[in-house]
Amino acid sequence: MKFTMHPGPWPDVIDEVVAAGHTYVTDPAEAKFLIYNGGRAEGGADGLPSPLPESIGFIQYPFAGVDHLIDSGLIKPGVRWANAGGVYGRPVAEIALSLLLSQLHQVKAAAMAGSFRDRGELDARQGWLFHDTTVALIGAGGIGRELIKLLEPFGVHVIAVNRSGREVPGADETYPMDRAGHVWSRADHFVLTAPLTEDTRGMVDAGVLAKMKPDTVLVNVGRGQLVVTDDLVTALQNGTIAGAAMDVVDPEPLPDGHPLWQLPNATILPHIAATGRIARLLVAPQIIENAAAFERGERMPTEVDAEAGY
């Protein structure tokens, strides 16, 4: 099939898709599918071509989260979209594990202290992943499955929470999201990897934070809006939980001078778990798989369900 990439070509990705038997064209009107690596608008240098040529059978977005595209109206009825759900499981899982460990071991607090004088205080706040530790993965999809593999050497007890309650390989227990209320008070630490939907938006608020253990570390590598930021700041300042470590925040970008930058028990990364650089390395096989399913007249493996939000 003929395809194009808009608004900016990624030569390595194009070369891989061409090697699979497809033909790259620069004119969207000639293309059967479009790889869209732009923002949330139509038209303009960074937006989707407007009007969208009738020849386009589906649009491939090279990242996982599409809630912003749905909210902005860019994903519309009548046009099929596919995302890159699951493609970045391993790199995001690596970030999640590094955030959890760095917050447990007080890396940011030590860097802010700038002195060995605080060694005793830092050690008193230090935590570990021992065999009697329970880690809950909220939204146990591709990232969660990869994280379970990385957690295996630590011997922790893993609780997986997903939408369906379907068993997650490697997890010790699995619960559906709507029957997992007890998990907030039971697990020692949490990793959020859930997509942003109407059901998950603001799911971690003051009430949920109050249920957590005081030595809990909360990690968010899903979507920033899963957490009510003001409630989290209060919980960290008051010692409701021990710490938070996040690659995604709300608002994003996090403004300079925001309390989360200054709190020693909050570790923030600027959304670098799945960037365009890693997308260029990993996304082509998923595009090829989706294109093959489309040609066969089937639902694509990562086809977006606009009503579900992912």
Side-chain angles (χ1 to χ4, degrees):
M1 286 191 296
K2 292 182 179 180
F3 74 98
T4 192
M5 193 165 195
H6 187 86
W10 290 348
D12 292 347
V13 173
I14 291 171
D15 288 347
E16 284 192 62
V17 178
V18 168
H22 301 285
T23 302
Y24 176 69
V25 295
T26 57
D27 184 356
E30 299 179 11
K32 189 66 175 177
F33 69 93
L34 182 149
I35 304 168
Y36 179 61
N37 58 356
R40 65 181 72 189
E42 283 189 280
D46 296 324
L48 194 66
S50 181
L52 188 70
E54 293 183 4
S55 62
I56 300 295
F58 78 92
I59 301 171
Q60 171 73 58
Y61 188 59
F63 300 101
V66 294
D67 51 273
H68 60 298
L69 302 179
I70 294 172
D71 291 344
S72 69
L74 198 62
I75 293 182
K76 301 175 180 177
V79 179
R80 296 171 68 181
W81 282 72
N83 67 359
V87 170
Y88 309 110
R90 178 55 187 257
V92 179
E94 285 189 20
I95 288 284
L97 181 59
S98 67
L99 284 169
L100 177 58
L101 290 173
S102 65
Q103 188 57 55
L104 282 171
H105 296 294
Q106 304 299 308
V107 172
K108 180 182 179 182
M112 291 180 67
S115 169
F116 266 55
R117 289 192 299 271
D118 292 338
R119 180 172 181 265
E121 182 181 346
L122 292 169
D123 181 46
R125 296 202 301 262
Q126 189 175 193
W128 293 268
L129 292 179
F130 285 142
H131 291 279
D132 59 351
T133 300
T134 297
V135 178
L137 311 182
I138 310 299
I143 298 169
R145 290 190 293 271
E146 290 294 330
L147 183 55
I148 288 171
K149 297 175 187 176
L150 298 181
L151 286 169
E152 187 175 353
F154 295 91
V156 298
H157 186 89
V158 175
I159 297 176
V161 177
N162 56 25
R163 188 183 184 193
S164 66
R166 186 179 298 113
E167 184 176 343
V168 176
D172 297 290
E173 304 174 55
T174 305
Y175 299 99
M177 196 81 72
D178 60 1
R179 295 209 304 272
H182 67 289
V183 174
W184 299 115
S185 59
R186 184 177 160 209
D188 297 294
H189 308 297
F190 296 87
V191 180
L192 308 181
T193 67
L196 183 65
T197 68
E198 288 307 308
D199 292 330
T200 63
R201 188 183 301 273
M203 67 188 302
V204 178
D205 57 11
V208 166
L209 289 163
K211 295 178 182 178
M212 296 180 184
K213 300 177 182 180
D215 56 355
T216 289
V217 169
L218 173 69
V219 174
N220 189 6
V221 291
R223 304 297 285 176
Q225 298 96 321
L226 299 176
V227 179
V228 179
T229 301
D230 289 346
D231 292 353
L232 176 63
V233 170
T234 299
L236 292 170
Q237 291 173 332
N238 294 345
T240 303
I241 64 171
M246 300 182 289
D247 182 56
V248 290
V249 290
D250 180 33
E252 193 171 298
L254 193 66
D256 294 351
H258 191 279
L260 289 174
W261 289 121
Q262 310 302 325
L263 286 170
N265 56 348
T267 301
I268 307 297
L269 293 179
H271 205 155
I272 59 173
T275 63
R277 190 165 73 91
I278 196 68
R280 289 173 174 88
L281 295 174
L282 299 180
V283 77
Q286 186 63 66
I287 296 172
I288 294 164
E289 187 177 356
N290 284 333
F294 178 82
E295 281 192 293
R296 293 191 300 267
E298 301 172 359
R299 180 177 176 83
M300 294 175 286
T302 60
E303 188 156 343
V304 172
D305 182 340
E307 290 188 7
Y310 54 91

